[in-house]
Amino acid sequence: KQIIDFYFLSYQEKFGKKPVIKGGKYGNLIKPLLQAEPDVEAIKRCIDLYLADGDGFVVSNGHNFETFCGKFQGYRQKSIPVKLGRY
């Protein structure tokens, strides 16, 4: 619920309208996200990246949640801080 609420509010803030939310379907889409990334805050950072993405495919799909889920791993990689230097 936190993820959908965050997506909904962030979308509304960015685009000035409500996204189309299909409740039951989103529950099934969120499970794999949480399996790949159990940190809800990390998923929220990915949503922020997604909503700011100007990629033609993302824009033409209206920044919908289904597209976010399909492209999640790419946003996840972009949101991981890069460590510099030797470990």
Side-chain angles (χ1 to χ4, degrees), residues 28 44 76:
N28 293 333
K44 289 179 180 179
R76 185 171 173 234

Side-chain angles (χ1 to χ4, degrees), residues 50 53 55 57-58 66-75:
Y50 172 67
D53 194 340
D55 174 74
F57 177 76
V58 172
E66 292 91 341
T67 302
F68 167 71
C69 292
K71 296 177 69 66
F72 173 69
Q73 288 298 339
Y75 294 108

Side-chain angles (χ1 to χ4, degrees), residues 9-63:
L9 293 172
S10 298
Y11 184 101
Q12 194 168 14
E13 182 179 303
K14 173 130 179 99
F15 300 110
K17 61 182 179 179
K18 296 177 183 179
V20 176
I21 300 286
K22 302 169 190 158
K25 183 177 182 182
Y26 285 169
N28 293 333
L29 293 172
I30 291 172
K31 286 179 187 176
L33 299 183
L34 289 169
Q35 288 172 343
E37 178 55 72
D39 181 1
V40 171
E41 294 304 314
I43 295 173
K44 289 179 180 179
R45 287 191 297 275
C46 292
I47 290 171
D48 284 337
L49 289 172
Y50 172 67
L51 293 176
D53 194 340
D55 174 74
F57 177 76
V58 172
V59 172
S60 69
N61 282 297
H63 288 88

